Amino acid sequence: MNTPLVRIALPKLFLWSEAARIQEYPEAAARAEPGRIYSRADLERVVFDIAPTMQFKGGAPRGKGTDGVINTYGMERSGARYRINGISLFERVDKGLRATAEGVALGKAFREADADVDWARALAKQLLRREPRTRLVIGLCLAGWQLGVEAPGGIPSGALSLTSPEGDVLEIAQRNCDGFNTLLRDNAELALGPRWRADLSALGETAAVVWEGVQGGPPSTNDLPTALKKALAVFFHIRAFDGGPSTWGLDAGGLAGALAVENLDELGFEDAAPARLTDDEAFARALHDCADAEGFLIVSQLGERFGELLQVPDEDRAVVLDSYIRTAMYHEQLRLLDRHPGQPRMGRGLFGEPGARRVRIDFTPPYKTMNVETAEQTPTGSSREMQGEDR
């Protein structure tokens, strides 16, 4: 006897207005009042700050660019199947809409963030918990696929593709991308993720899922690369990808470090266990992430990134950085090529010296296996520039 499948419809993916405006959803979530029920029009005007500028459906005033609002809704029953509208920041209740606990948490992260990377990490986690097509792309990259896209200033643009470990290239076209839906079908559980699976299980639905379009047939892929590049901009912003200028890789350690989590289990990527970085690997990656186009870096930022990758407590990071650099200099693995006082706002200088807040370093790691370029080796136009460190 055939086991019945759980049918799930996926609407067309829109997300926020443009790839560079990754703050739109967190900013809207920060405006939402916990427990308040909004009409659709009030959600657009009060929460998303969209001015009514046109008439829509029988004269009801609606704003331009409101398609992405639907992608903040969650899952609902739709006849004999379910429909996942978006990333579950808002839910339908009593003919209105209310912020979910996850929406409230994202809004809180936005309001309380010390730096934009903090709320960007929260948004990246929410995408990985709740957005099936983004989960699919990231999951495939963790399994050895490569992402093909230009990303000047950390903003993906132009053609988008995926290349399998065997070298097969899937161009994600603007229309009728059957290959992507094939990947979605073949990796249905990966795309679903543990959060939606848990919600389905609570409803008594434990069978395998099959993805459908809203009108039946396969899900719409119209303008899919445009929407996916918006989601991917979040991961470029937190520096999850390595490579460039048009080919990018992703490993579990790099993603866990970018998300500032110990492992990826909670996000449903248990098989992609992050290998713990050695001190040398962490320092090389920190150099790569923090150096500007001329090879200079701010020492306090280097200390934060180095300590973050090694999971060092905040209060110990400056001491750990100084100790590592002293040891590397003693073993002739590191040379300080230049130093500059910078600005007081840059924080602590190397070894506590105010004349060395901004430095240029030549680092020769003793290992050969990790594919990380140092600041001296990385050419202009490479991944550190592409990932928007000055944004």
Side-chain angles (χ1 to χ4, degrees):
M1 184 175 71
N2 293 329
T3 303
L5 299 173
V6 179
R7 298 166 57 204
I8 301 180
L10 281 181
K12 179 180 174 181
L13 189 62
F14 291 101
L15 298 177
W16 39 93
S17 60
E18 55 187 88
R21 291 190 55 79
I22 64 174
Q23 76 273 21
E24 283 187 10
Y25 279 12
E27 192 173 50
R31 293 191 191 103
E33 299 176 24
R36 176 176 170 180
I37 297 177
Y38 296 89
S39 67
R40 168 68 187 255
D42 282 343
L43 191 73
E44 291 176 4
R45 299 175 201 174
V46 178
V47 176
F48 283 85
D49 195 27
I50 299 174
T53 57
M54 57 187 277
Q55 298 296 310
F56 182 78
K57 288 188 177 178
R62 295 287 298 278
K64 291 183 178 179
T66 61
D67 290 330
V69 174
I70 191 69
N71 283 160
T72 64
Y73 301 172
M75 183 173 67
E76 58 189 46
R77 187 83 190 210
S78 180
R81 60 183 186 169
Y82 296 89
R83 172 172 165 157
I84 292 178
N85 293 299
I87 65 173
S88 197
L89 302 181
F90 296 91
E91 60 187 348
R92 296 186 192 273
V93 288
D94 299 331
K95 298 183 179 180
L97 294 150
R98 177 180 63 191
T100 64
E102 291 167 74
V104 171
L106 180 61
K108 184 174 185 288
F110 184 82
R111 288 192 304 271
E112 298 180 359
D114 293 326
D116 60 3
V117 71
D118 296 325
W119 60 256
R121 284 171 175 152
L123 177 59
K125 291 174 190 175
Q126 190 65 14
L127 288 167
L128 291 179
R129 293 181 187 117
R130 297 296 192 179
E131 208 300 285
R133 285 158 285 207
T134 304
R135 277 190 56 85
L136 176 61
V137 171
I138 296 299
L140 291 174
C141 288
L142 289 171
W145 290 60
Q146 289 187 315
L147 177 71
V149 70
E150 299 284 345
I155 306 300
S157 64
L160 184 67
S161 67
L162 288 168
T163 302
S164 75
E166 294 75 34
D168 298 322
V169 179
L170 169 65
E171 302 288 347
I172 303 178
Q174 288 290 124
R175 295 287 187 273
N176 303 321
C177 188
D178 295 335
F180 191 89
N181 277 331
T182 299
L183 287 174
L184 188 65
R185 180 198 65 201
D186 294 345
N187 299 274
E189 196 69 24
L190 170 65
L192 182 69
R195 287 295 181 94
W196 288 128
R197 172 52 71 188
D199 290 347
L200 288 170
S201 296
L203 296 170
E205 304 283 7
T206 58
V209 301
V210 59
W211 300 105
E212 299 179 351
V214 172
Q215 303 299 327
S220 171
T221 59
N222 288 348
D223 300 319
L224 178 60
T226 299
L228 281 175
K229 282 181 282 191
K230 296 173 186 178
L232 291 169
V234 182
F235 295 90
F236 277 96
H237 187 76
I238 64 173
R239 301 190 180 109
F241 286 102
D242 281 322
S246 60
T247 302
W248 306 90
L250 183 66
D251 61 61
L255 180 58
L259 294 171
V261 297
E262 184 174 345
N263 58 59
L264 304 177
D265 291 1
E266 183 265 340
L267 298 169
F269 301 114
E270 296 89 347
D271 294 336
R276 184 174 179 83
L277 298 178
T278 66
D279 290 359
D280 298 319
E281 290 170 338
F283 188 75
R285 181 167 283 168
L287 279 180
H288 169 271
D289 290 346
C290 295
D292 63 21
E294 297 177 347
F296 277 94
L297 50 86
I298 297 172
V299 171
S300 61
Q301 292 180 357
L302 177 66
E304 286 300 305
R305 183 61 175 148
F306 184 49
E308 179 182 72
L309 291 169
L310 292 178
Q311 300 177 18
V312 173
D314 292 354
E315 62 272 16
D316 298 333
R317 290 179 179 180
V319 173
V320 168
L321 176 68
D322 286 354
S323 176
Y324 176 85
I325 288 180
R326 283 194 183 96
T327 302
M329 292 175 73
Y330 177 80
H331 290 289
E332 298 183 347
Q333 296 165 5
L334 185 150
R335 290 187 302 138
L336 191 61
L337 300 178
D338 206 348
R339 68 181 71 199
H340 192 276
Q343 300 293 328
R345 61 180 173 81
M346 293 179 177
R348 181 182 183 275
L350 185 62
F351 307 134
E353 299 175 8
R357 294 189 182 96
R358 188 168 176 264
V359 301
R360 194 160 58 94
I361 288 173
D362 176 38
F363 177 59
T364 305
Y367 57 91
K368 301 295 184 182
T369 58
M370 187 176 177
N371 185 24
V372 176
E373 295 172 323
T374 67
E376 283 294 296
Q377 296 168 330
T378 307
T380 301
S382 64
S383 60
R384 64 164 176 266
E385 290 181 289
M386 295 301 173
Q387 299 198 34
E389 62 199 19
D390 293 326
R391 292 183 57 216

